[in-house]
Amino acid sequence: MWVEIICGLIIYKLFRHFFYDDDILELETTDSNALFSVATRLEKLYGGKAYVGLRIPDADTGSRQNIDMVLITKGEAIVISVQNLSGLVSTDADGSWGFVSGNSHRTERCPDPVAEVKRQVAILESYLEQRGAALPEGYMSCRVVCPNPNFRAIHSDRFPSEVVTYEQWVNLKPEPKSSFSSWIKGAFHGGKNEMLEPIHQKLNFILTTAPTWDRLELKGNKCLLGEFMEFKGKHDDTQSLRNIRRSKVSRLIIQKTSMFGLAHSKLQVLYSPRDYRNEGASASEWKEVTVRSSTEVLFQPQDSTKVRKFKLSSVVSMSLSA
């Protein structure tokens, strides 16, 4: 019996090794996936552009402030904090949140998310003013979105108006052309007059060129925010990739080469030169190198001290911040 069990485990390990990418299987659903999911839905519902994973310089501390996302429409600018919490969630008198997730019976604490996102608004407004975009007082608002299906609010009426619970999130509707429902007005629209077009364009330009986390897109529709470190692999492969540095490259795409039905041993890496004029690279400017599929990407996820390795064969694309 034990022989059969051991043989079964060996076969499973071999099958998993040859037919699946371990990096993807072992990567748990991250907050990064929730960020991009929220951004995509808001853009579809309200138009405009959502800027995800910003790292805005804070003049007071000399450090960078992480901001989940900023939604820019022609009528408003909204700083959004995404709280991907799962379980029973309550709010206390001091604004902090307590939540019990999964099978845990221990209550965990979360500092006041509304106070934090309001602080981010002040930092972003200061940054925009430094770059020549002074907004009218009160023009920029904030929201805390809770998109996790397992989010269960205890006494949801006690949460501040800036909080969009999961129940409210799933009930968001597309923006009507002529008028807004009172709930949508309260949730994502403050009833302000539309921005002047020049201000709207300036905001988009500033946030397009603002510092962000690097973005690693993996197979299985998984995204990870963090910092690209380097490539690891055979010497000739790393030499071929030596020009892929954030100062020179903004984005790369991984493509498999055709091996007549056999396993792919080589990968094509297409990369786009960085264009500081913000006009984007034309198709003719993309460059290409071919490397072994065993080459690895070293990437440090946001809010993690551990550098992770991902096989290049498990990567779809990577965007690098300047």
Side-chain angles (χ1 to χ4, degrees), residues 129-250:
E129 185 174 358
Q130 291 174 10
R131 295 193 59 179
L135 302 179
E137 183 179 354
Y139 196 90
M140 183 174 290
S141 60
C142 62
R143 292 293 180 272
V144 176
V145 176
C146 306
N148 195 309
N150 295 318
F151 180 94
R152 299 289 183 270
I154 301 176
H155 301 299
S156 58
D157 57 315
R158 296 181 182 177
F159 284 82
S161 59
E162 292 88 353
V163 176
V164 181
T165 65
Y166 176 72
E167 184 179 355
Q168 293 171 322
W169 172 246
V170 296
N171 288 321
L172 283 179
K173 298 295 188 295
E175 178 182 296
K177 293 183 179 179
S178 57
S179 61
F180 309 130
S181 71
S182 58
W183 190 89
I184 292 180
K185 258 190 176 181
F188 274 99
H189 292 274
K192 308 179 185 74
N193 294 326
E194 286 198 350
M195 275 183 167
L196 295 176
E197 193 65 22
I199 299 179
H200 172 248
Q201 292 176 352
K202 181 174 287 189
L203 279 179
N204 278 309
F205 173 77
I206 292 174
L207 293 181
T208 298
T209 56
T212 64
W213 287 105
D214 298 331
R215 174 181 174 180
L216 186 68
E217 182 182 358
L218 302 167
K219 291 179 180 177
N221 295 319
K222 295 180 182 293
C223 291
L224 198 60
L225 292 176
E227 185 175 359
F228 164 67
M229 308 302 288
E230 61 178 332
F231 294 105
K232 285 287 187 180
K234 299 291 186 180
H235 178 72
D236 55 332
D237 289 331
T238 56
Q239 282 296 105
S240 297
L241 296 166
R242 67 185 182 279
N243 289 327
I244 299 182
R245 301 193 297 270
R246 66 179 66 255
S247 61
K248 295 184 176 181
V249 173
S250 61

Side-chain angles (χ1 to χ4, degrees), residues 24-292:
I24 293 179
L25 285 178
E26 294 173 4
L27 181 66
E28 298 178 349
T29 301
T30 65
D31 290 340
S32 297
N33 291 323
L35 291 183
F36 288 106
S37 176
V38 169
T40 299
R41 185 157 188 253
L42 289 178
E43 288 177 341
K44 288 181 179 179
L45 286 172
Y46 304 111
K49 172 68 177 175
Y51 297 90
V52 179
L54 295 168
R55 303 180 69 192
I56 301 301
D58 183 354
D60 291 336
T61 63
S63 61
R64 292 189 176 184
Q65 171 66 54
N66 296 330
I67 294 180
D68 287 345
M69 89 182 58
V70 178
L71 178 66
I72 301 294
T73 69
K74 288 186 177 180
E76 196 163 11
I78 310 173
V79 177
I80 298 170
S81 171
V82 177
Q83 295 292 323
N84 193 34
L85 299 179
S86 173
L88 299 173
V89 185
S90 60
T91 181
D92 291 339
D94 62 356
S96 64
W97 291 9
F99 62 96
V100 181
S101 60
N103 297 322
S104 172
H105 297 289
R106 181 169 56 89
T107 300
E108 299 183 52
R109 310 305 306 178
C110 174
D112 187 349
V114 175
E116 174 62 19
V117 75
K118 287 181 177 179
R119 189 177 69 86
Q120 293 173 6
V121 167
I123 293 172
L124 181 58
E125 286 179 331
S126 176
Y127 173 76
L128 293 173
E129 185 174 358
Q130 291 174 10
R131 295 193 59 179
L135 302 179
E137 183 179 354
Y139 196 90
M140 183 174 290
S141 60
C142 62
R143 292 293 180 272
V144 176
V145 176
C146 306
N148 195 309
N150 295 318
F151 180 94
R152 299 289 183 270
I154 301 176
H155 301 299
S156 58
D157 57 315
R158 296 181 182 177
F159 284 82
S161 59
E162 292 88 353
V163 176
V164 181
T165 65
Y166 176 72
E167 184 179 355
Q168 293 171 322
W169 172 246
V170 296
N171 288 321
L172 283 179
K173 298 295 188 295
E175 178 182 296
K177 293 183 179 179
S178 57
S179 61
F180 309 130
S181 71
S182 58
W183 190 89
I184 292 180
K185 258 190 176 181
F188 274 99
H189 292 274
K192 308 179 185 74
N193 294 326
E194 286 198 350
M195 275 183 167
L196 295 176
E197 193 65 22
I199 299 179
H200 172 248
Q201 292 176 352
K202 181 174 287 189
L203 279 179
N204 278 309
F205 173 77
I206 292 174
L207 293 181
T208 298
T209 56
T212 64
W213 287 105
D214 298 331
R215 174 181 174 180
L216 186 68
E217 182 182 358
L218 302 167
K219 291 179 180 177
N221 295 319
K222 295 180 182 293
C223 291
L224 198 60
L225 292 176
E227 185 175 359
F228 164 67
M229 308 302 288
E230 61 178 332
F231 294 105
K232 285 287 187 180
K234 299 291 186 180
H235 178 72
D236 55 332
D237 289 331
T238 56
Q239 282 296 105
S240 297
L241 296 166
R242 67 185 182 279
N243 289 327
I244 299 182
R245 301 193 297 270
R246 66 179 66 255
S247 61
K248 295 184 176 181
V249 173
S250 61
R251 179 174 168 79
L252 61 89
I253 299 173
I254 310 301
Q255 295 182 340
K256 291 184 177 179
T257 59
S258 176
M259 295 292 291
F260 305 103
L262 300 176
H264 297 279
S265 60
K266 293 283 187 177
L267 296 172
Q268 290 179 332
V269 180
L270 304 177
Y271 60 94
S272 168
R274 184 172 299 285
D275 188 344
Y276 288 97
R277 298 166 301 175
N278 196 37
E279 296 176 359
S282 64
S284 61
E285 293 177 315
W286 283 75
K287 300 183 184 299
E288 174 186 325
V289 294
T290 301
V291 298
R292 294 176 180 85

Side-chain angles (χ1 to χ4, degrees), residues 6-34:
I6 293 173
C7 289
L9 288 173
I10 293 173
I11 293 173
Y12 169 75
K13 291 283 187 180
L14 290 172
F15 183 85
R16 179 174 173 174
H17 175 75
F18 286 106
F19 293 96
Y20 292 92
D21 290 310
D22 287 342
D23 291 325
I24 293 179
L25 285 178
E26 294 173 4
L27 181 66
E28 298 178 349
T29 301
T30 65
D31 290 340
S32 297
N33 291 323

